[in-house]
Amino acid sequence: MIYRILLVCLALIGCSSWGFAQDQKSFEVKADSSRIEIAADSTVRSVMLAADSLPKPVKMKMEFKPDPKKAVLMALVPGLGQIYNRKFWKLPIVYGGLMGCMYAITWNNRNYQDYSTAYKDIMLDAEEPNRPVEEFHTSWQDFLGVGYDPKEWVSNTNFQTQLKNRKDYYRRYRDLSIIITVGVYALSIIDAYVDAQLFDFDISPDLSMHWEPTVTPQTTYSSRSYGVNCSIKF
């Protein structure tokens, strides 16, 4: 009986010690896991701080290269194609050429209108030259000047021919000015396209010319000749 009681006591003591050991191990595991979490947090924090301290990447600027199609579309407005290609020094040429052409069109057209009206009016007045001077048109009388009698000049064929020739002269140069204006406008568009197309064309600065004396040997068809051989390398 006593032996059984001792066995029961020993069993109870063993269970309690095993439970204590289990609790101690679980506590140690929890402590270790907390240490790992703390260590992990500190590691992440240090990595983030190191990343913040790194220099920020520098954005690389892309090299400018114009698009030929876009350059043509921009060049429909005079000068914008050259601005798009960043060739600002061409703007005075484009605008100067167009302004000069527009001035030539305006000046020639104004003189053409004056001489055209004068010629039409003098031909109408020449049909009834005996009318009073006050009834004559003044458009052709302005080309006579002061001191000339309109009745003497209204039927003057030479004066009429002069008015007609001047009318045709200014009409011809007005039309020529319009053609030149269209040509300058077209050249500005072509210049913008070619400039954009050849923007990155590599032109080597290594240009050299080499010359040397040469002798052509005698053959059955020609005699020996002397000359200079010139070659250009680029």
Side-chain angles (χ1 to χ4, degrees):
M1 186 66 180
I2 296 173
Y3 178 72
R4 291 181 180 177
I5 293 171
L6 290 174
L7 289 176
V8 172
C9 292
L10 291 174
L12 293 172
I13 293 171
C15 291
S16 62
S17 62
W18 181 79
F20 179 76
Q22 290 295 326
D23 294 338
Q24 186 175 2
K25 288 181 180 180
S26 62
F27 177 77
E28 291 176 355
V29 170
K30 292 181 180 178
D32 292 337
S33 62
S34 63
R35 292 195 196 97
I36 293 172
E37 291 178 357
I38 294 172
D41 292 339
S42 61
T43 303
V44 172
R45 191 179 296 108
S46 62
V47 170
M48 293 179 66
L49 291 174
D52 293 337
S53 62
L54 291 176
K56 294 182 179 180
V58 179
K59 293 182 179 179
M60 299 297 294
K61 292 184 178 180
M62 298 297 294
E63 185 178 357
F64 174 74
K65 186 180 185 305
D67 183 11
K69 294 182 179 180
K70 190 173 181 180
V72 171
L73 293 176
M74 297 287 287
L76 295 178
V77 178
L80 287 186
Q82 285 70 28
I83 294 175
Y84 173 72
N85 291 332
R86 299 183 181 179
K87 296 300 177 64
F88 304 103
W89 62 272
K90 293 183 179 180
L91 292 178
I93 300 175
V94 174
Y95 287 121
L98 290 175
M99 291 178 64
C101 292
M102 294 301 297
Y103 176 78
I105 292 174
T106 304
W107 188 75
N108 286 296
N109 184 65
R110 183 173 63 250
N111 285 280
Y112 164 72
Q113 295 295 335
D114 292 341
Y115 280 100
S116 178
T117 303
Y119 177 71
K120 291 178 181 179
D121 291 343
I122 196 174
M123 295 306 294
L124 291 175
D125 294 339
E127 296 177 357
E128 299 179 4
N130 296 323
R131 289 186 303 170
V133 177
E134 292 78 7
E135 296 181 2
F136 288 161
H137 295 85
T138 59
S139 58
W140 60 270
Q141 297 182 40
D142 294 337
F143 294 100
L144 290 177
V146 181
Y148 292 91
D149 186 8
K151 282 187 172 295
E152 296 179 0
W153 288 87
V154 68
S155 300
N156 191 320
T157 56
N158 290 330
F159 181 61
Q160 294 173 0
T161 303
Q162 289 180 4
L163 292 177
K164 183 178 182 300
N165 291 337
R166 298 299 290 179
K167 171 180 72 70
D168 296 338
Y169 172 84
Y170 285 110
R171 182 184 61 185
R172 181 170 60 253
Y173 278 94
R174 182 202 60 180
D175 297 341
L176 181 61
S177 300
I178 294 174
I179 295 173
I180 294 174
T181 303
V182 174
V184 172
Y185 176 71
L187 283 176
S188 67
I189 297 176
I190 295 173
D191 172 74
Y193 175 78
V194 173
D195 202 358
Q197 191 72 33
L198 301 179
F199 187 82
D200 54 354
F201 183 74
D202 185 16
I203 301 177
S204 175
D206 186 13
L207 299 176
S208 59
M209 182 177 67
H210 179 71
W211 65 276
E212 60 183 357
T214 182
V215 179
T216 302
Q218 183 179 1
T219 64
T220 55
Y221 300 100
S222 62
S223 60
R224 179 179 296 179
S225 60
Y226 304 89
V228 177
N229 183 22
C230 180
S231 61
I232 299 176
K233 297 180 181 179
F234 56 91

